[in-house]
Amino acid sequence: MFEPESPTTSGRSTPFHDFETDQQLEDNSTDSESVQNDDLNVDKYPFMKPCPYANDVQALEELEACDYTQRITYEMACSGQTKRRVRIYADGIYDLFHQGHARQLMQAKNLFPNVYLLVGVCSTELTLKMKGRTVMNGLERYEAVRHCRYVDEVVANAPWTLTDEFLKEHKIDFVAHDDIPYSGAGGVGDIYAHLKERGMFVATERTPGVSTSDIVARIVKDYDLFVRRNLARGYTAKELNVSFLSEKKFRLQNKIDELKNRGRRVKVDLLTRWEAKSRDLMKAFLQAFGRERLFSIWRESKGKIMSAWGSNTSLAEESYIDSDQDDSEDEYMDAMSDSGSLKEVHAAAADNANNSSRSSSLPDVGPEHF
């Protein structure tokens, strides 16, 4: 478990001291033990631990091992031919820690081949005095920074202006910050000007399009939506600093939206059912009149049509043959009558008939009569 310590004689303060100030200024009810749950079981994560604070044993051992009498110039640091790690210090508020902060610290860590990165985080009291109110309290901002993988050490309750005593105390070789002049007390001057003159300043680039002020502006722009969301999640109007009438208005809006969403869900459910029913009907139709079934019907119909067509053709051929025979007989009789042979035929037929009658009237004469 994380045990807060009292401020050291060197002027480095612990997060606990700043957290008490935050509680006084902001009436923050956050439990310091609940904020530091990661510190309760750090043995579970032997390879991924948060970096130490400046007054932790690990940081103090690193500080003692640094031979600050060997001053490192910019050229020496760039060459990588140094006998010790280059100690670079970056400072800021780091409120609502975002990718712009992480990218700045990444640049500071990669300025030289062998860097030990110290990050100073200003207290809430100092920030409120010099810049304005923060969203996160001091301990939350310290913890956010010390869990960034580029950071080797966190200096809590960091000063606004870097003095020579502070630089020597932490054995700082270079200070990293963006090159935009940063004002000191009274809003005038550049707090990094003396470091730039001494060659102890290295510039990093700001990430365009993202800043803590931009994030706060988004929240303010959609204030009603965020309040309604948090009310729906169980926050009270007092916790959100919302008046009684505003609370009722927001809750009414939430209820209307809930009814609208319910109506949409019912509509979607009906459409889903209709679609499922349509699929079933289409499936049944395809089973009854699908491709194979249609081909089967076509084959059956085609067979019937061809059979009927064949019967009609046979009947037509038979009637045609009969009519041909009748016509031939008529033509033959006409030809015979025209040539006069018809009379001869009739006469021959009559002679044959008479001969037959005479032969039938003669007695039978057998061989015995001769």
Side-chain angles (χ1 to χ4, degrees):
M1 180 174 176
F2 179 86
E3 294 292 342
E5 303 175 4
S6 59
T8 61
T9 55
S10 61
R12 291 191 302 273
S13 60
T14 63
F16 182 75
H17 172 77
D18 187 52
F19 183 54
E20 286 185 338
T21 306
D22 293 334
Q23 286 179 318
Q24 296 174 3
L25 292 173
E26 303 179 13
D27 192 24
N28 195 325
S29 60
T30 304
D31 185 3
S32 61
E33 293 185 359
S34 65
V35 176
Q36 303 177 68
N37 285 335
D38 287 345
D39 290 329
L40 298 177
N41 298 308
V42 291
D43 292 336
K44 288 178 59 179
Y45 313 103
F47 302 108
M48 297 297 292
K49 296 181 180 180
C51 73
Y53 287 102
N55 55 355
D56 289 343
V57 175
Q58 181 181 349
L60 293 175
E61 289 177 353
E62 179 72 24
L63 181 66
E64 292 296 328
C66 174
D67 184 6
Y68 198 57
T69 58
Q70 299 179 359
R71 301 306 304 272
I72 299 176
T73 63
Y74 182 80
E75 290 74 16
M76 292 171 60
C78 290
S79 66
Q81 303 299 321
T82 57
K83 296 181 179 180
R84 62 175 177 83
R85 303 173 73 180
V86 181
R87 294 173 67 88
I88 295 180
Y89 177 83
D91 60 354
I93 309 301
Y94 301 105
D95 193 20
L96 297 176
F97 193 85
H98 52 73
Q99 71 267 31
H101 296 140
R103 185 171 179 270
Q104 181 233 351
L105 298 178
M106 179 188 69
Q107 293 177 66
K109 180 68 174 178
N110 290 280
L111 284 169
F112 306 117
N114 189 15
V115 169
Y116 183 86
L117 180 60
L118 303 89
V119 180
V121 184
C122 300
S123 67
T124 301
E125 182 180 11
L126 181 60
T127 305
L128 181 63
K129 177 182 176 181
M130 302 297 296
K131 190 174 182 179
R133 193 177 186 87
T134 60
V135 177
M136 300 168 65
N137 61 46
L139 182 61
E140 292 168 340
R141 291 183 287 111
Y142 301 153
E143 288 296 311
V145 172
R146 74 187 290 246
H147 283 82
C148 177
R149 64 178 180 174
Y150 309 118
V151 182
D152 297 305
E153 180 182 322
V154 169
V155 180
N157 196 14
W160 197 263
T161 303
L162 303 180
T163 62
D164 291 341
E165 290 75 12
F166 181 84
L167 297 175
K168 291 178 182 179
E169 178 183 350
H170 293 279
K171 300 181 179 180
I172 297 171
D173 296 308
F174 299 95
V175 175
H177 201 273
D178 61 81
D179 207 14
I180 300 175
Y182 210 77
S183 61
V188 295
D190 183 5
I191 60 176
Y192 301 108
H194 66 292
L195 298 172
K196 294 176 182 178
E197 294 174 357
R198 296 164 57 181
M200 295 181 65
F201 182 87
V202 284
T204 57
E205 295 180 359
R206 295 179 65 90
T207 302
V210 58
S211 68
T212 302
S213 299
D214 293 337
I215 296 174
V216 173
R218 296 179 207 170
I219 298 173
V220 172
K221 179 182 177 181
D222 297 322
Y223 169 78
D224 289 0
L225 295 177
F226 286 111
V227 171
R228 288 169 55 188
R229 182 189 68 176
N230 286 346
L231 284 173
R233 291 182 175 180
Y235 285 83
T236 64
K238 182 178 179 181
E239 290 173 330
L240 298 174
N241 195 25
V242 175
S243 65
F244 176 79
L245 293 178
S246 296
E247 178 192 8
K248 298 303 178 185
K249 180 186 73 173
F250 291 140
R251 292 193 183 279
L252 178 60
Q253 290 174 341
N254 284 343
K255 182 61 69 174
I256 292 173
D257 287 347
E258 182 181 350
L259 292 174
K260 288 181 179 178
N261 292 333
R262 188 180 302 173
R264 292 192 191 98
R265 287 194 297 269
V266 171
K267 184 177 179 181
V268 170
D269 187 46
L270 289 174
L271 290 174
T272 304
R273 292 184 193 174
W274 178 83
E275 186 177 2
K277 192 68 176 177
S278 300
R279 288 200 189 99
D280 294 339
L281 292 173
M282 292 174 66
K283 184 178 179 181
F285 177 82
L286 291 175
Q287 288 177 349
F289 303 100
R291 183 175 180 181
E292 295 298 328
R293 179 58 180 161
L294 290 176
F295 281 158
S296 178
I297 293 173
W298 166 249
R299 285 192 294 267
E300 294 174 2
S301 302
K302 182 179 178 182
K304 292 178 181 179
I305 292 171
M306 295 302 295
S307 177
W309 177 262
S311 300
N312 293 335
T313 303
S314 300
L315 293 173
E317 290 176 353
E318 291 176 1
S319 62
Y320 177 75
I321 293 170
D322 293 341
S323 62
D324 267 357
Q325 290 175 352
D326 294 341
D327 291 343
S328 300
E329 291 177 356
D330 293 341
E331 290 176 358
Y332 175 74
M333 295 302 291
D334 290 342
M336 294 295 289
S337 60
D338 290 343
S339 61
S341 59
L342 183 60
K343 294 177 181 181
E344 296 177 356
V345 171
H346 285 300
D351 292 340
N352 289 333
N354 291 331
N355 292 332
S356 297
S357 61
R358 283 197 300 268
S359 61
S360 61
S361 61
L362 292 175
D364 293 332
V365 179
E368 63 272 9
H369 291 95
F370 298 95

